Amino acid sequence: MKILNPQGDANLHTHTCFCDGKDTPDELVQAAILLGFRTIGFSGHEYAPHDLDACMAKDDVPKYRAAVLAAREKYAGQIDVRLGIERDYYGESDGYDYDYVIGSVHYVKAGDVLVPVDNTPEQMEQGVRDCFGGDFKAYVAAYYDCVADVVDRTGADIVGHFDLVTKFNEGNRYFDEHAAWYKKLALHALARVSQLRTPSGARPLIEINTGAMAKGYRTRPYPDAFIRDEVERLGLPMLLSSDCHDKRKLDYGFAKFKE
């Protein structure tokens, strides 16, 4: 498996107290240094009016940028600090330049209604009932339609948590992840992503994301093994990420992937 940070000594998917994380950039950099990281990248949730519980307030974006850049200068020579952003599929660019963009699908659209994919199981269930008539196959199809287009839509360098739609589906609670229809939707989206290029002209990175494991929702990372196998076959680069919201879990689940 070709992972760009096989030693688990870097994380580019990190959230701070400026969005829905617990810690300041400085606190997270210190934690990364103690873990022996060579790189830490910050990826605050960009402002999105439909996702106010998670995203940064518009007035906080300059503060976030300043705090990350201050940490970069303060810890220069000890660790590489990068300034990134996580942009929702239905969000909009704040107009700033970033070292990288993570493009993620956190909502799917049914008519004019945005249905949350990963807020809570209850909200997701309600949305599927109200907007998809309880049809999880239609819901999943809407999700992967967005994933297929997320690089172009968000200007992403990295595709975030590729199969986030399975977050609450441990044990196939809502739909069968082994079913042919499910695998077809996921792999079709991946095939389309593999044909896209990032703003720099590179092939998009697919992250191996342990965030739902850290929160107790899943026993395995995103994306599932059959998707990772296809990522490898297609020759797309992969990057290990913790989707960190708490410095104590900055390298959560990394050990099993270390070479």
Side-chain angles (χ1 to χ4, degrees):
M1 185 183 301
K2 183 182 178 182
I3 302 176
L4 296 186
N5 54 332
Q7 299 304 319
D9 56 0
N11 185 61
L12 296 186
H13 198 154
T14 314
H15 295 286
T16 74
C17 57
F18 288 103
C19 54
D20 58 347
K22 293 183 177 180
D23 310 296
T24 67
D26 195 89
E27 289 169 335
L28 283 155
V29 172
Q30 291 180 37
I33 291 171
L34 288 175
L35 288 170
F37 275 32
R38 58 182 172 79
T39 302
I40 182 169
F42 292 95
S43 54
H45 286 291
E46 196 169 37
Y47 177 78
H50 56 279
D51 200 21
L52 297 179
D53 288 341
C55 75
M56 291 186 285
K58 286 184 177 180
D59 290 346
D60 283 341
V61 174
K63 299 174 188 176
Y64 160 74
R65 293 175 56 83
V68 173
L69 293 175
R72 173 185 288 176
E73 182 176 353
K74 179 178 179 180
Y75 296 100
Q78 298 182 65
I79 190 170
D80 178 19
V81 177
R82 299 186 187 179
L83 174 62
I85 199 78
E86 184 173 13
R87 182 169 297 150
D88 184 67
Y89 184 87
Y90 289 106
E92 296 180 1
S93 170
D94 58 26
Y96 289 109
D97 289 328
Y98 290 96
D99 295 332
Y100 61 92
V101 174
I102 298 176
S104 297
V105 179
H106 299 105
Y107 289 77
V108 296
K109 208 168 206 179
D112 294 328
V113 179
L114 285 169
V115 177
V117 172
D118 71 330
N119 287 9
T120 68
E122 293 77 18
Q123 287 178 312
M124 180 273 293
E125 287 181 44
Q126 186 71 45
V128 175
R129 284 197 301 269
D130 293 348
C131 301
F132 293 93
D135 185 348
F136 276 91
K137 184 175 180 180
Y139 162 70
V140 170
Y143 173 81
Y144 279 119
D145 278 348
C146 293
V147 172
D149 186 43
V150 73
V151 173
D152 281 350
R153 176 90 174 203
T154 65
D157 303 288
I158 302 168
V159 178
H161 33 61
F162 190 91
D163 53 351
L164 182 67
V165 73
T166 65
K167 178 176 179 177
F168 305 122
N169 198 50
E170 188 79 6
N172 293 324
R173 179 180 177 184
Y174 299 107
F175 54 88
D176 184 2
E177 294 175 42
H178 303 293
W181 68 264
Y182 174 77
K183 291 187 175 182
K184 182 178 180 180
L185 288 172
L187 295 181
H188 178 67
L190 180 61
R192 288 175 61 184
V193 167
S194 74
Q195 297 169 0
L196 302 176
R197 293 296 181 269
T198 70
S200 69
R203 303 188 79 189
L205 284 158
I206 307 296
E207 66 169 6
I208 299 174
N209 181 311
T210 63
M213 296 168 64
K215 294 178 179 178
Y217 287 114
R218 287 170 60 99
T219 56
R220 62 201 192 283
Y222 307 113
D224 204 355
F226 80 91
I227 299 174
R228 296 200 304 271
D229 288 345
E230 185 65 5
V231 171
E232 188 167 21
R233 189 190 73 79
L234 290 169
L236 290 172
M238 288 180 276
L239 184 74
L240 190 56
S241 299
S242 67
D243 200 345
C244 178
H245 289 71
D246 183 334
K247 66 183 180 182
R248 296 171 298 177
K249 299 180 179 181
L250 186 56
D251 64 346
Y252 192 94
F254 280 17
K256 67 174 293 185
F257 289 97
K258 290 183 180 181
E259 291 185 345

